[in-house]
Amino acid sequence: MSTPGLGHVVQAVVSSIDEDNLEEGIDKLRALFPDTTLLAALDLVDRESVLKFRTPWGGCHYEVLGSTATYSVFPRLGWSPDMSCYCTCPAFAFAVLMSESHLMCKHVLAVHLAEQFSKCVEHSIDDNDLLARLTSRVQ
Ligand SMILES: [Zn+2]
Protein backbone atom coordinates (compact mmCIF):
# COMPACT_ATOMS: atom_id res chain seq x y z
CA MET A 1 0.00 0.00 0.00
CA SER A 2 3.01 2.23 0.21
CA THR A 3 2.95 3.95 -3.15
CA PRO A 4 4.68 7.29 -3.70
CA GLY A 5 1.46 9.12 -4.51
CA LEU A 6 -0.08 8.42 -1.11
CA GLY A 7 2.48 10.55 0.67
CA HIS A 8 1.11 13.48 -1.26
CA VAL A 9 -2.46 12.44 -0.40
CA VAL A 10 -1.49 12.62 3.27
CA GLN A 11 -0.05 16.11 2.79
CA ALA A 12 -3.22 17.19 0.97
CA VAL A 13 -5.50 15.80 3.70
CA VAL A 14 -3.42 17.37 6.48
CA SER A 15 -3.38 20.74 4.75
CA SER A 16 -7.19 20.65 4.51
CA ILE A 17 -7.56 20.31 8.29
CA ASP A 18 -8.25 23.37 10.43
CA GLU A 19 -9.71 24.07 13.84
CA ASP A 20 -13.26 24.07 12.47
CA ASN A 21 -13.16 20.64 10.87
CA LEU A 22 -10.65 18.91 13.11
CA GLU A 23 -12.85 15.85 13.73
CA GLU A 24 -13.56 15.40 10.06
CA GLY A 25 -9.87 15.74 9.22
CA ILE A 26 -8.89 13.18 11.84
CA ASP A 27 -11.50 10.80 10.38
CA LYS A 28 -9.91 11.16 6.95
CA LEU A 29 -6.50 10.44 8.43
CA ARG A 30 -7.93 7.31 10.06
CA ALA A 31 -8.40 5.94 6.55
CA LEU A 32 -4.69 6.38 5.89
CA PHE A 33 -3.09 5.46 9.24
CA PRO A 34 -3.57 2.95 12.04
CA ASP A 35 -5.12 4.57 15.12
CA THR A 36 -1.94 4.00 17.12
CA THR A 37 0.16 6.00 14.63
CA LEU A 38 -2.40 8.78 14.43
CA LEU A 39 -2.87 9.11 18.18
CA ALA A 40 0.88 8.94 18.81
CA ALA A 41 1.43 11.72 16.27
CA LEU A 42 -1.27 13.92 17.83
CA ASP A 43 0.28 13.26 21.22
CA LEU A 44 3.72 14.39 19.98
CA VAL A 45 2.16 17.61 18.69
CA ASP A 46 0.36 18.15 22.03
CA ARG A 47 3.57 17.66 23.98
CA GLU A 48 5.35 20.21 21.75
CA SER A 49 7.84 17.55 20.71
CA VAL A 50 8.14 18.84 17.15
CA LEU A 51 11.14 21.13 16.82
CA LYS A 52 11.68 23.34 13.81
CA PHE A 53 15.12 24.83 13.23
CA ARG A 54 15.26 27.80 10.93
CA THR A 55 18.49 28.46 9.08
CA PRO A 56 19.72 31.96 8.18
CA TRP A 57 19.21 31.21 4.47
CA GLY A 58 15.51 30.46 4.91
CA GLY A 59 15.65 26.69 5.05
CA CYS A 60 14.37 24.57 7.88
CA HIS A 61 15.21 21.32 9.59
CA TYR A 62 12.82 19.30 11.74
CA GLU A 63 13.48 17.12 14.74
CA VAL A 64 11.01 15.18 16.85
CA LEU A 65 11.64 14.23 20.46
CA GLY A 66 10.84 10.55 20.81
CA SER A 67 10.60 8.72 24.11
CA THR A 68 14.15 7.39 23.87
CA ALA A 69 15.84 9.47 21.20
CA THR A 70 15.50 12.52 18.98
CA TYR A 71 14.92 11.90 15.30
CA SER A 72 15.57 14.05 12.27
CA VAL A 73 12.54 14.28 10.03
CA PHE A 74 12.46 15.29 6.38
CA PRO A 75 8.75 15.73 5.67
CA ARG A 76 9.03 16.69 2.02
CA LEU A 77 11.68 15.17 -0.18
CA GLY A 78 11.56 17.05 -3.44
CA TRP A 79 14.22 15.00 -5.18
CA SER A 80 12.85 11.49 -4.96
CA PRO A 81 9.92 10.14 -6.96
CA ASP A 82 9.81 7.03 -4.74
CA MET A 83 9.92 8.58 -1.31
CA SER A 84 7.95 11.62 -0.23
CA CYS A 85 9.49 11.83 3.24
CA TYR A 86 12.16 10.38 5.52
CA CYS A 87 12.73 9.93 9.25
CA THR A 88 15.79 8.57 11.04
CA CYS A 89 13.81 6.41 13.51
CA PRO A 90 13.94 2.59 13.43
CA ALA A 91 10.19 2.35 12.72
CA PHE A 92 10.61 4.28 9.48
CA ALA A 93 13.39 1.97 8.28
CA PHE A 94 11.45 -1.12 9.29
CA ALA A 95 7.76 -0.40 8.66
CA VAL A 96 8.05 2.10 5.82
CA LEU A 97 11.17 1.20 3.85
CA MET A 98 11.48 -2.54 4.42
CA SER A 99 7.99 -3.96 4.93
CA GLU A 100 6.16 -1.09 3.22
CA SER A 101 3.29 -1.63 5.64
CA HIS A 102 3.10 2.05 6.64
CA LEU A 103 3.03 5.28 4.66
CA MET A 104 5.12 7.17 7.17
CA CYS A 105 6.03 6.95 10.83
CA LYS A 106 4.35 8.92 13.61
CA HIS A 107 7.20 11.47 13.61
CA VAL A 108 6.68 12.50 9.97
CA LEU A 109 2.92 12.68 10.51
CA ALA A 110 3.52 14.75 13.68
CA VAL A 111 5.63 17.24 11.69
CA HIS A 112 2.88 17.61 9.08
CA LEU A 113 0.24 18.12 11.80
CA ALA A 114 2.40 20.50 13.82
CA GLU A 115 3.05 22.58 10.72
CA GLN A 116 -0.66 22.69 9.97
CA PHE A 117 -1.62 23.69 13.51
CA SER A 118 1.36 26.07 13.91
CA LYS A 119 2.54 24.02 16.89
CA CYS A 120 6.19 23.59 15.93
CA VAL A 121 8.63 24.77 18.58
CA GLU A 122 10.86 27.07 16.54
CA HIS A 123 14.56 27.74 16.99
CA SER A 124 17.09 29.57 14.88
CA ILE A 125 20.37 27.88 14.04
CA ASP A 126 23.38 28.73 11.93
CA ASP A 127 25.11 26.46 9.45
CA ASN A 128 27.62 25.08 11.97
CA ASP A 129 24.81 24.05 14.34
CA LEU A 130 22.92 22.43 11.51
CA LEU A 131 25.99 20.54 10.34
CA ALA A 132 26.65 19.32 13.87
CA ARG A 133 23.04 18.21 14.27
CA LEU A 134 22.96 16.36 10.98
CA THR A 135 26.34 14.68 11.26
CA SER A 136 26.08 13.70 14.93
CA ARG A 137 23.35 11.21 14.03
CA VAL A 138 25.07 9.67 11.04
CA GLN A 139 27.15 6.86 12.46
ZN1 LIG B 1 10.02 8.36 12.71
PDB file of all heavy atoms in Angstrom, residues 64-90:
ATOM      1  N   VAL A  64      12.099  15.556  15.962  1.00  0.00           N
ATOM      2  CA  VAL A  64      11.006  15.177  16.847  1.00  0.00           C
ATOM      3  C   VAL A  64      11.593  14.441  18.041  1.00  0.00           C
ATOM      4  O   VAL A  64      12.422  13.535  17.883  1.00  0.00           O
ATOM      5  CB  VAL A  64       9.975  14.284  16.117  1.00  0.00           C
ATOM      6  CG1 VAL A  64       8.895  13.809  17.085  1.00  0.00           C
ATOM      7  CG2 VAL A  64       9.335  15.051  14.964  1.00  0.00           C
ATOM      8  N   LEU A  65      11.170  14.868  19.242  1.00  0.00           N
ATOM      9  CA  LEU A  65      11.643  14.230  20.460  1.00  0.00           C
ATOM     10  C   LEU A  65      10.839  12.953  20.695  1.00  0.00           C
ATOM     11  O   LEU A  65       9.661  13.004  21.000  1.00  0.00           O
ATOM     12  CB  LEU A  65      11.447  15.167  21.665  1.00  0.00           C
ATOM     13  CG  LEU A  65      12.058  16.575  21.536  1.00  0.00           C
ATOM     14  CD1 LEU A  65      11.649  17.408  22.738  1.00  0.00           C
ATOM     15  CD2 LEU A  65      13.569  16.490  21.412  1.00  0.00           C
ATOM     16  N   GLY A  66      11.493  11.820  20.519  1.00  0.00           N
ATOM     17  CA  GLY A  66      10.844  10.546  20.806  1.00  0.00           C
ATOM     18  C   GLY A  66      11.021  10.204  22.274  1.00  0.00           C
ATOM     19  O   GLY A  66      11.640  10.961  23.027  1.00  0.00           O
ATOM     20  N   SER A  67      10.494   9.068  22.694  1.00  0.00           N
ATOM     21  CA  SER A  67      10.599   8.717  24.109  1.00  0.00           C
ATOM     22  C   SER A  67      12.028   8.348  24.484  1.00  0.00           C
ATOM     23  O   SER A  67      12.458   8.568  25.609  1.00  0.00           O
ATOM     24  CB  SER A  67       9.638   7.582  24.444  1.00  0.00           C
ATOM     25  OG  SER A  67       9.708   6.585  23.452  1.00  0.00           O
ATOM     26  N   THR A  68      12.790   7.798  23.532  1.00  0.00           N
ATOM     27  CA  THR A  68      14.152   7.391  23.872  1.00  0.00           C
ATOM     28  C   THR A  68      15.223   8.125  23.083  1.00  0.00           C
ATOM     29  O   THR A  68      16.391   8.073  23.438  1.00  0.00           O
ATOM     30  CB  THR A  68      14.344   5.873  23.617  1.00  0.00           C
ATOM     31  OG1 THR A  68      13.960   5.600  22.267  1.00  0.00           O
ATOM     32  CG2 THR A  68      13.479   5.056  24.560  1.00  0.00           C
ATOM     33  N   ALA A  69      14.831   8.785  22.016  1.00  0.00           N
ATOM     34  CA  ALA A  69      15.838   9.468  21.202  1.00  0.00           C
ATOM     35  C   ALA A  69      15.179  10.592  20.424  1.00  0.00           C
ATOM     36  O   ALA A  69      13.954  10.698  20.385  1.00  0.00           O
ATOM     37  CB  ALA A  69      16.479   8.486  20.224  1.00  0.00           C
ATOM     38  N   THR A  70      16.007  11.446  19.832  1.00  0.00           N
ATOM     39  CA  THR A  70      15.502  12.516  18.984  1.00  0.00           C
ATOM     40  C   THR A  70      15.784  12.148  17.533  1.00  0.00           C
ATOM     41  O   THR A  70      16.866  11.687  17.209  1.00  0.00           O
ATOM     42  CB  THR A  70      16.221  13.838  19.331  1.00  0.00           C
ATOM     43  OG1 THR A  70      16.002  14.112  20.709  1.00  0.00           O
ATOM     44  CG2 THR A  70      15.667  14.990  18.502  1.00  0.00           C
ATOM     45  N   TYR A  71      14.773  12.310  16.687  1.00  0.00           N
ATOM     46  CA  TYR A  71      14.918  11.896  15.300  1.00  0.00           C
ATOM     47  C   TYR A  71      14.844  13.084  14.363  1.00  0.00           C
ATOM     48  O   TYR A  71      14.072  14.004  14.587  1.00  0.00           O
ATOM     49  CB  TYR A  71      13.820  10.896  14.937  1.00  0.00           C
ATOM     50  CG  TYR A  71      13.823   9.693  15.833  1.00  0.00           C
ATOM     51  CD1 TYR A  71      12.791   9.480  16.738  1.00  0.00           C
ATOM     52  CD2 TYR A  71      14.888   8.795  15.793  1.00  0.00           C
ATOM     53  CE1 TYR A  71      12.805   8.392  17.594  1.00  0.00           C
ATOM     54  CE2 TYR A  71      14.915   7.701  16.646  1.00  0.00           C
ATOM     55  CZ  TYR A  71      13.877   7.503  17.545  1.00  0.00           C
ATOM     56  OH  TYR A  71      13.904   6.437  18.387  1.00  0.00           O
ATOM     57  N   SER A  72      15.650  13.038  13.313  1.00  0.00           N
ATOM     58  CA  SER A  72      15.573  14.047  12.268  1.00  0.00           C
ATOM     59  C   SER A  72      14.495  13.632  11.279  1.00  0.00           C
ATOM     60  O   SER A  72      14.441  12.470  10.873  1.00  0.00           O
ATOM     61  CB  SER A  72      16.910  14.158  11.522  1.00  0.00           C
ATOM     62  OG  SER A  72      17.892  14.685  12.379  1.00  0.00           O
ATOM     63  N   VAL A  73      13.641  14.575  10.936  1.00  0.00           N
ATOM     64  CA  VAL A  73      12.536  14.277  10.035  1.00  0.00           C
ATOM     65  C   VAL A  73      12.624  15.174   8.796  1.00  0.00           C
ATOM     66  O   VAL A  73      12.862  16.374   8.910  1.00  0.00           O
ATOM     67  CB  VAL A  73      11.176  14.512  10.743  1.00  0.00           C
ATOM     68  CG1 VAL A  73      10.014  14.279   9.771  1.00  0.00           C
ATOM     69  CG2 VAL A  73      11.048  13.595  11.945  1.00  0.00           C
ATOM     70  N   PHE A  74      12.466  14.552   7.639  1.00  0.00           N
ATOM     71  CA  PHE A  74      12.460  15.288   6.378  1.00  0.00           C
ATOM     72  C   PHE A  74      11.087  15.076   5.758  1.00  0.00           C
ATOM     73  O   PHE A  74      10.858  14.075   5.069  1.00  0.00           O
ATOM     74  CB  PHE A  74      13.591  14.771   5.474  1.00  0.00           C
ATOM     75  CG  PHE A  74      14.942  14.857   6.127  1.00  0.00           C
ATOM     76  CD1 PHE A  74      15.411  13.807   6.916  1.00  0.00           C
ATOM     77  CD2 PHE A  74      15.708  15.989   6.016  1.00  0.00           C
ATOM     78  CE1 PHE A  74      16.648  13.892   7.565  1.00  0.00           C
ATOM     79  CE2 PHE A  74      16.939  16.092   6.654  1.00  0.00           C
ATOM     80  CZ  PHE A  74      17.414  15.038   7.434  1.00  0.00           C
ATOM     81  N   PRO A  75      10.147  15.981   6.036  1.00  0.00           N
ATOM     82  CA  PRO A  75       8.750  15.732   5.671  1.00  0.00           C
ATOM     83  C   PRO A  75       8.459  15.843   4.178  1.00  0.00           C
ATOM     84  O   PRO A  75       7.475  15.297   3.715  1.00  0.00           O
ATOM     85  CB  PRO A  75       7.971  16.789   6.460  1.00  0.00           C
ATOM     86  CG  PRO A  75       8.946  17.892   6.684  1.00  0.00           C
ATOM     87  CD  PRO A  75      10.304  17.255   6.759  1.00  0.00           C
ATOM     88  N   ARG A  76       9.286  16.546   3.457  1.00  0.00           N
ATOM     89  CA  ARG A  76       9.029  16.695   2.023  1.00  0.00           C
ATOM     90  C   ARG A  76      10.324  16.536   1.244  1.00  0.00           C
ATOM     91  O   ARG A  76      11.147  17.439   1.192  1.00  0.00           O
ATOM     92  CB  ARG A  76       8.447  18.087   1.726  1.00  0.00           C
ATOM     93  CG  ARG A  76       6.973  18.193   1.994  1.00  0.00           C
ATOM     94  CD  ARG A  76       6.503  19.616   1.816  1.00  0.00           C
ATOM     95  NE  ARG A  76       6.937  20.460   2.910  1.00  0.00           N
ATOM     96  CZ  ARG A  76       6.218  20.640   4.010  1.00  0.00           C
ATOM     97  NH1 ARG A  76       5.055  20.073   4.142  1.00  0.00           N
ATOM     98  NH2 ARG A  76       6.669  21.400   4.981  1.00  0.00           N
ATOM     99  N   LEU A  77      10.510  15.377   0.645  1.00  0.00           N
ATOM    100  CA  LEU A  77      11.680  15.172  -0.177  1.00  0.00           C
ATOM    101  C   LEU A  77      11.313  15.537  -1.601  1.00  0.00           C
ATOM    102  O   LEU A  77      10.504  14.867  -2.225  1.00  0.00           O
ATOM    103  CB  LEU A  77      12.118  13.707  -0.125  1.00  0.00           C
ATOM    104  CG  LEU A  77      12.602  13.192   1.224  1.00  0.00           C
ATOM    105  CD1 LEU A  77      12.984  11.724   1.083  1.00  0.00           C
ATOM    106  CD2 LEU A  77      13.778  13.997   1.724  1.00  0.00           C
ATOM    107  N   GLY A  78      11.909  16.617  -2.092  1.00  0.00           N
ATOM    108  CA  GLY A  78      11.561  17.049  -3.437  1.00  0.00           C
ATOM    109  C   GLY A  78      12.259  16.247  -4.516  1.00  0.00           C
ATOM    110  O   GLY A  78      11.813  16.170  -5.643  1.00  0.00           O
ATOM    111  N   TRP A  79      13.366  15.577  -4.142  1.00  0.00           N
ATOM    112  CA  TRP A  79      14.220  14.999  -5.184  1.00  0.00           C
ATOM    113  C   TRP A  79      13.899  13.564  -5.526  1.00  0.00           C
ATOM    114  O   TRP A  79      14.405  13.018  -6.497  1.00  0.00           O
ATOM    115  CB  TRP A  79      15.687  15.094  -4.749  1.00  0.00           C
ATOM    116  CG  TRP A  79      15.922  14.656  -3.333  1.00  0.00           C
ATOM    117  CD1 TRP A  79      15.946  15.444  -2.224  1.00  0.00           C
ATOM    118  CD2 TRP A  79      16.123  13.311  -2.877  1.00  0.00           C
ATOM    119  NE1 TRP A  79      16.152  14.672  -1.114  1.00  0.00           N
ATOM    120  CE2 TRP A  79      16.271  13.376  -1.477  1.00  0.00           C
ATOM    121  CE3 TRP A  79      16.213  12.068  -3.524  1.00  0.00           C
ATOM    122  CZ2 TRP A  79      16.476  12.233  -0.703  1.00  0.00           C
ATOM    123  CZ3 TRP A  79      16.420  10.944  -2.752  1.00  0.00           C
ATOM    124  CH2 TRP A  79      16.552  11.033  -1.353  1.00  0.00           C
ATOM    125  N   SER A  80      13.062  12.910  -4.724  1.00  0.00           N
ATOM    126  CA  SER A  80      12.850  11.490  -4.959  1.00  0.00           C
ATOM    127  C   SER A  80      11.428  11.174  -5.400  1.00  0.00           C
ATOM    128  O   SER A  80      10.482  11.512  -4.708  1.00  0.00           O
ATOM    129  CB  SER A  80      13.164  10.714  -3.681  1.00  0.00           C
ATOM    130  OG  SER A  80      12.698   9.385  -3.819  1.00  0.00           O
ATOM    131  N   PRO A  81      11.273  10.518  -6.535  1.00  0.00           N
ATOM    132  CA  PRO A  81       9.921  10.136  -6.965  1.00  0.00           C
ATOM    133  C   PRO A  81       9.372   8.977  -6.134  1.00  0.00           C
ATOM    134  O   PRO A  81       8.162   8.760  -6.103  1.00  0.00           O
ATOM    135  CB  PRO A  81      10.112   9.726  -8.429  1.00  0.00           C
ATOM    136  CG  PRO A  81      11.550   9.349  -8.544  1.00  0.00           C
ATOM    137  CD  PRO A  81      12.303  10.137  -7.523  1.00  0.00           C
ATOM    138  N   ASP A  82      10.244   8.223  -5.464  1.00  0.00           N
ATOM    139  CA  ASP A  82       9.807   7.027  -4.745  1.00  0.00           C
ATOM    140  C   ASP A  82       9.509   7.279  -3.278  1.00  0.00           C
ATOM    141  O   ASP A  82       8.819   6.501  -2.632  1.00  0.00           O
ATOM    142  CB  ASP A  82      10.877   5.942  -4.829  1.00  0.00           C
ATOM    143  CG  ASP A  82      11.109   5.531  -6.269  1.00  0.00           C
ATOM    144  OD1 ASP A  82      10.121   5.443  -7.008  1.00  0.00           O
ATOM    145  OD2 ASP A  82      12.271   5.321  -6.646  1.00  0.00           O
ATOM    146  N   MET A  83      10.087   8.325  -2.736  1.00  0.00           N
ATOM    147  CA  MET A  83       9.916   8.582  -1.309  1.00  0.00           C
ATOM    148  C   MET A  83       9.494  10.014  -1.115  1.00  0.00           C
ATOM    149  O   MET A  83      10.141  10.925  -1.610  1.00  0.00           O
ATOM    150  CB  MET A  83      11.253   8.365  -0.588  1.00  0.00           C
ATOM    151  CG  MET A  83      11.276   7.085   0.190  1.00  0.00           C
ATOM    152  SD  MET A  83      12.616   6.952   1.355  1.00  0.00           S
ATOM    153  CE  MET A  83      13.870   8.037   0.834  1.00  0.00           C
ATOM    154  N   SER A  84       8.391  10.233  -0.412  1.00  0.00           N
ATOM    155  CA  SER A  84       7.952  11.616  -0.229  1.00  0.00           C
ATOM    156  C   SER A  84       8.468  12.195   1.076  1.00  0.00           C
ATOM    157  O   SER A  84       8.359  13.384   1.322  1.00  0.00           O
ATOM    158  CB  SER A  84       6.426  11.702  -0.278  1.00  0.00           C
ATOM    159  OG  SER A  84       5.866  10.926   0.754  1.00  0.00           O
ATOM    160  N   CYS A  85       9.011  11.340   1.952  1.00  0.00           N
ATOM    161  CA  CYS A  85       9.489  11.826   3.243  1.00  0.00           C
ATOM    162  C   CYS A  85      10.515  10.853   3.804  1.00  0.00           C
ATOM    163  O   CYS A  85      10.686   9.749   3.294  1.00  0.00           O
ATOM    164  CB  CYS A  85       8.313  11.947   4.214  1.00  0.00           C
ATOM    165  SG  CYS A  85       7.428  10.384   4.425  1.00  0.00           S
ATOM    166  N   TYR A  86      11.194  11.269   4.885  1.00  0.00           N
ATOM    167  CA  TYR A  86      12.157  10.380   5.516  1.00  0.00           C
ATOM    168  C   TYR A  86      12.289  10.732   6.994  1.00  0.00           C
ATOM    169  O   TYR A  86      12.168  11.895   7.382  1.00  0.00           O
ATOM    170  CB  TYR A  86      13.535  10.497   4.841  1.00  0.00           C
ATOM    171  CG  TYR A  86      14.539   9.530   5.406  1.00  0.00           C
ATOM    172  CD1 TYR A  86      14.422   8.166   5.151  1.00  0.00           C
ATOM    173  CD2 TYR A  86      15.568   9.980   6.227  1.00  0.00           C
ATOM    174  CE1 TYR A  86      15.324   7.271   5.693  1.00  0.00           C
ATOM    175  CE2 TYR A  86      16.476   9.087   6.766  1.00  0.00           C
ATOM    176  CZ  TYR A  86      16.354   7.729   6.496  1.00  0.00           C
ATOM    177  OH  TYR A  86      17.234   6.853   7.048  1.00  0.00           O
ATOM    178  N   CYS A  87      12.488   9.713   7.825  1.00  0.00           N
ATOM    179  CA  CYS A  87      12.726   9.925   9.253  1.00  0.00           C
ATOM    180  C   CYS A  87      13.834   8.975   9.664  1.00  0.00           C
ATOM    181  O   CYS A  87      13.970   7.879   9.108  1.00  0.00           O
ATOM    182  CB  CYS A  87      11.455   9.630  10.042  1.00  0.00           C
ATOM    183  SG  CYS A  87      11.671   9.714  11.834  1.00  0.00           S
ATOM    184  N   THR A  88      14.645   9.388  10.642  1.00  0.00           N
ATOM    185  CA  THR A  88      15.793   8.572  11.042  1.00  0.00           C
ATOM    186  C   THR A  88      15.443   7.529  12.103  1.00  0.00           C
ATOM    187  O   THR A  88      16.320   6.862  12.612  1.00  0.00           O
ATOM    188  CB  THR A  88      16.938   9.478  11.577  1.00  0.00           C
ATOM    189  OG1 THR A  88      16.415  10.314  12.618  1.00  0.00           O
ATOM    190  CG2 THR A  88      17.505  10.347  10.466  1.00  0.00           C
ATOM    191  N   CYS A  89      14.156   7.379  12.450  1.00  0.00           N
ATOM    192  CA  CYS A  89      13.806   6.414  13.508  1.00  0.00           C
ATOM    193  C   CYS A  89      13.799   4.982  12.966  1.00  0.00           C
ATOM    194  O   CYS A  89      13.665   4.760  11.771  1.00  0.00           O
ATOM    195  CB  CYS A  89      12.455   6.761  14.126  1.00  0.00           C
ATOM    196  SG  CYS A  89      11.040   6.298  13.120  1.00  0.00           S
ATOM    197  N   PRO A  90      13.929   3.993  13.869  1.00  0.00           N
ATOM    198  CA  PRO A  90      13.935   2.591  13.434  1.00  0.00           C
ATOM    199  C   PRO A  90      12.602   2.167  12.800  1.00  0.00           C
ATOM    200  O   PRO A  90      12.597   1.357  11.872  1.00  0.00           O
ATOM    201  CB  PRO A  90      14.158   1.803  14.731  1.00  0.00           C
ATOM    202  CG  PRO A  90      14.647   2.788  15.734  1.00  0.00           C
ATOM    203  CD  PRO A  90      14.164   4.139  15.306  1.00  0.00           C
TER     204      PRO A  90
END
